[in-house]
Amino acid sequence: MKERPVMIRPITPHDIEAVLAINNDAVPAVNSLTTNGLTDIINFSEKAWVVDEGDKIVGVLIVLGPGESYGSANYTWLANQFRNFCYVDRIIIADSGKRKGYGKALYLALEEHAASTGTEVLLCEVNVEPENPQSMAFHASLGWVPFQDREHSPNKVVRYFKKLIKSDVETT
């Protein structure tokens, strides 16, 4: 039997259970979600992709554009600072998919999308408290630049990162 190739593709309703499991296994690097919470974020999203290894989902990227009525404190703060952006609400690679280049592949697909739509900047946050050194190193390795730390509560601090995008869209 021939193996199906690894692919990045949009999240489908069939994927919700697997995406929810990957998300909740990654807490505290990301916030836990319920099925309804995940579905809501996907409905708000500009892009919601999975990495599909052919027989299982091993990665997730959910991105929101400006102007959404999303209740995330991080999204709201960033939306007040930037006008033309894609906000990475979450990027998660399951343990079985780590060290295979999937996170980088998701971000390259996002950069391509952003450039093709004239998006100026990619934005995200990474936990400082509780610590997430792997994500800090990952973002730095891909050219994301930290620009501010923000305390949400005792023991909850995030660091905001951005990456400027060179647009494929001509402006006149």
Side-chain angles (χ1 to χ4, degrees), residues 102-116:
Y102 297 154
K104 183 177 181 179
L106 284 166
Y107 268 175
L108 289 175
L110 174 58
E111 288 178 31
E112 224 174 79
H113 164 75
S116 73

Side-chain angles (χ1 to χ4, degrees), residues 66-116:
E68 297 298 338
S69 57
Y70 180 39
S72 158
N74 289 313
Y75 174 83
T76 301
W77 188 86
L78 288 165
N80 286 326
Q81 312 301 313
F82 295 89
R83 205 178 91 260
N84 182 0
F85 64 88
C86 283
Y87 166 71
V88 175
D89 183 69
R90 59 200 65 227
I91 182 168
I92 312 158
I93 304 300
D95 287 341
S96 65
K98 288 191 176 170
R99 303 281 182 245
K100 296 181 180 179
Y102 297 154
K104 183 177 181 179
L106 284 166
Y107 268 175
L108 289 175
L110 174 58
E111 288 178 31
E112 224 174 79
H113 164 75
S116 73

Side-chain angles (χ1 to χ4, degrees), residues 65-66 79 81-86 114 117-123 167:
Q81 312 301 313
F82 295 89
R83 205 178 91 260
N84 182 0
F85 64 88
C86 283
T117 60
T119 299
E120 294 171 354
V121 64
L122 304 179
L123 302 168
S167 178

